[in-house]
Amino acid sequence: MRNKNDKKILRRLSPLFIIAVFAAAAWLLINTQEAPEQKDEPINIPIVDVQTVTPQTLSLNLPSYGVVNPKYKTQLVTEVQGRMLNISANFVAGGVVKKGEQLAIIEPSDYEADLIQAEATLAQATAALNEEKARGEVAKVEFKDFTQGLPPALGLRIPQLKKEQANVKYAQAALARAQRNLERTVIRAPFDGIIKARNVDLGQYVTLGTNLGELYDTSIAEIRLPLTNEELAYLESVENPDTSVTLTAQLAGKQVTWQGTIVRSENVIDEQTRMVYLVAEIRDPYLRNTKTSGQLPLKYGSFVNAVITGRTVNDVVTLPRHVVRNGQVAVVTQDNIIEMRQVNIIRSDVDTLYIKGSFKANERISTTSVNSLSSGQTVKILGEESSNTDTPRSCYDSR
C-alpha cells in the first residue's frame, strides 16, 4: 500500500523535477556565457574628385546666331519702255557681275530717233539765236545817232534775243533728256554683286518701272545678332559696341570660320522676342578680292553661330554649373577637409558659371555632387593614396 503511495507522489512531483532541471540548466548557461567579441567598425569617408583652379583674365564672350544678308540690295527697274533686245549671260540667278557691267538692252531705235530730233532742234535754236544776235548788232548801228534819249529795248531787239536764248536752253534740256533715255536702254549693274533673281525674258515688252530682277552687293555682308538686354552689360560699350565677332557655319561638310566686326546696335528692343540686335559686318564675303587657300565664301542666306568678344575681367574662374549649390562651392583643403565657400557669380550660361574674386591659385574644388557634403567633413581624393594607413574607427561599447 505504501509502495503505491510513493509512486503516486513521484508521478505528481515529476513535472516539478523537470522544471527544476531546466531552470538549473538555464541558470548555468546564463552564468557561463562568454562576452561577445568587440569589433571596430570603419567610418564611411566619401570619395570626391577635385579640380585645381587658377584665376585668369578672360573675355566674357557672348554667344549668338543669325542669318547672313547683303548690306546693300537693289531692285533693277526700267526707266524707259520697250522690247528686251538682249540679255547678258550673267543676268541669271546666281550670276556674279561687276559694277557697270551690261545686263540687258531695251530696243533703242525710238530713243536714237528722239536724240537725233533733239540735236536738230538744238541746232535750229542755236541758228536762230545767232541770227538774232546779228540783228541786234544792226539795230545798235541804226540807233547810234538816236537823239531822243535812250533807244527803246524793242528797237534794239533785246526781248527777241532773250526769247532765242530761252529756246536754246529748252533745246539743250531736251537733248540731255534724249541722251539719258538712250543711255537707260542699257541696264547696267550699279555695284559688284550677285544676281538674286531675274524677272524678264528676251523679247518681252517692258514698261516704265518694270522690275527686271534683284541684285545683292557682294562687298559687305551683314548679320543681325540677337542678345538679351542683360547680356549687353558684358560689352565694353553698350552705346558703341565696336568689337570683334567670330562666325562659324557648316559648309561643304566642314566647319568654316570667318572674322567680322560689330559695327552698331539697333538700339530697339524687339517687342516679340525681347531681344536687342547687334549688327556685324564681314568684308568681301564672297572672296572676290582676297582669297586664301582653303577658305570658303560666306554665302548669303547661311545660318551662322557667332561668338562676340565681350569685356575683359580679371581674377575669374570658370566652373561647371553642377559644382555650385545655392551659391556655394565645396573647397577641399590640404588636409582633405571640406570648406563650403560662398562665391561671387558674375555670369552664367548653359553649362558654365563665371566666378570672380573667390579663389586663390591652385585651390582644389570638389567636382563631385556637393549635395552630401558639409563644412568640416573629411573626404578622400579620387586616385590619391591616403597618407594615413590607419583607417579611423569607432568602437561600440558592450557595457
Side-chain angles (χ1 to χ4, degrees):
M1 187 71 178
R2 183 177 178 182
N3 193 14
K4 288 183 178 181
N5 291 333
D6 291 340
K7 290 181 178 180
K8 187 175 182 181
I9 291 172
L10 287 173
R11 189 166 52 250
R12 292 179 177 178
L13 293 177
S14 59
L16 296 176
F17 289 141
I18 295 172
I19 293 173
V21 170
F22 277 102
W27 178 86
L28 182 61
L29 290 175
I30 291 173
N31 285 276
T32 58
Q33 69 176 350
E34 295 182 359
E37 182 181 358
Q38 295 181 353
K39 294 184 178 180
D40 294 335
E41 262 187 33
I43 299 175
N44 292 325
I45 300 179
I47 300 175
V48 298
D49 196 4
V50 295
Q51 172 185 339
T52 301
V53 297
T54 301
Q56 299 176 337
T57 299
L58 297 178
S59 294
L60 299 180
N61 296 333
L62 304 173
S64 188
Y65 55 88
V67 177
V68 183
N69 288 301
K71 183 174 183 178
Y72 304 110
K73 55 184 177 181
T74 185
Q75 302 289 332
L76 300 172
V77 298
T78 57
E79 298 178 86
V80 294
Q81 61 186 10
R83 184 175 58 87
M84 297 301 299
L85 183 65
N86 183 38
I87 293 179
S88 170
N90 289 334
F91 191 18
V92 291
V96 178
V97 298
K98 294 182 178 180
K99 181 178 180 179
E101 182 177 339
Q102 177 180 299
L103 303 179
I105 298 177
I106 298 174
E107 174 61 54
S109 57
D110 290 342
Y111 300 99
E112 290 172 347
D114 291 342
L115 178 61
I116 295 173
Q117 183 177 356
E119 290 174 343
T121 301
L122 177 60
Q124 290 177 351
T126 302
L129 176 61
N130 293 334
E131 181 181 350
E132 191 58 46
K133 286 180 179 179
R135 289 180 179 178
E137 293 297 329
V138 172
K140 287 180 182 180
V141 174
E142 291 178 349
F143 281 91
K144 184 177 181 181
D145 298 329
F146 187 71
T147 59
Q148 299 179 3
L150 294 175
L154 186 61
L156 296 177
R157 303 191 65 82
I158 294 177
Q160 293 88 334
L161 179 63
K162 290 183 178 180
K163 176 183 176 182
E164 296 303 331
Q165 288 174 338
N167 289 338
V168 169
K169 289 183 179 180
Y170 180 84
Q172 288 174 340
L175 177 61
R177 185 182 302 109
Q179 289 174 336
R180 288 195 302 271
N181 287 339
L182 181 60
E183 291 173 357
R184 289 168 179 170
T185 60
V186 180
I187 310 300
R188 299 185 183 275
F191 44 70
D192 292 347
I194 183 171
I195 303 298
K196 175 62 170 60
R198 191 189 78 194
N199 304 325
V200 293
D201 289 318
L202 189 64
Q204 181 177 342
Y205 187 86
V206 295
T207 59
L208 193 65
T210 298
N211 187 349
L212 303 179
E214 189 172 10
L215 178 65
Y216 283 177
D217 179 28
T218 54
S219 61
I220 302 176
E222 280 192 347
I223 306 97
R224 297 175 70 235
L225 303 174
L227 293 177
T228 63
N229 199 32
E230 292 76 14
E231 288 177 322
L232 294 179
Y234 303 127
L235 295 173
E236 291 288 353
S237 173
V238 178
E239 298 299 327
N240 185 26
D242 184 11
T243 185
S244 61
V245 59
T246 301
L247 305 174
T248 57
Q250 291 290 334
L251 290 179
K254 66 178 182 178
Q255 183 169 290
V256 187
T257 302
W258 301 269
Q259 295 297 322
T261 305
I262 301 295
V263 294
R264 70 179 187 276
S265 169
E266 294 187 353
N267 289 322
V268 176
I269 298 178
D270 189 272
E271 295 180 357
Q272 297 180 345
T273 62
R274 309 309 301 169
M275 293 285 191
V276 177
Y277 285 87
L278 301 183
V279 179
E281 283 189 358
I282 300 291
R283 298 278 177 175
D284 194 20
Y286 278 79
L287 307 177
R288 298 186 64 179
N289 299 321
T290 56
K291 185 174 183 179
T292 58
S293 177
Q295 181 70 5
L296 294 177
L298 179 58
K299 296 181 180 180
Y300 294 144
S302 300
F303 180 85
V304 293
N305 292 308
V307 177
I308 304 169
T309 302
R311 60 186 175 91
T312 301
V313 181
N314 299 322
D315 197 18
V316 176
V317 169
T318 59
L319 291 176
R321 293 185 69 95
H322 73 274
V323 172
V324 182
R325 180 189 66 180
N326 298 327
Q328 291 185 328
V329 171
V331 180
V332 182
T333 66
Q334 295 298 324
D335 299 329
N336 291 352
I337 304 297
I338 293 295
E339 175 194 340
M340 299 303 296
R341 183 180 300 176
Q342 197 75 25
V343 293
N344 176 29
I345 302 173
I346 61 172
R347 183 190 167 193
S348 62
D349 53 33
V350 177
D351 301 315
T352 307
L353 295 177
Y354 297 79
I355 300 171
K356 175 178 173 60
S358 301
F359 302 106
K360 296 179 181 179
N362 299 323
E363 282 195 304
R364 299 182 299 175
I365 309 300
S366 171
T367 57
T368 306
S369 176
V370 298
N371 293 329
S372 59
L373 301 179
S374 59
S375 290
Q377 185 176 4
T378 301
V379 295
K380 289 182 180 180
I381 308 302
L382 182 65
E384 180 180 285
E385 293 184 1
S386 176
S387 59
N388 185 8
T389 56
D390 296 332
T391 303
R393 298 177 179 274
S394 65
C395 299
Y396 293 95
D397 193 347
S398 62
R399 291 177 296 177

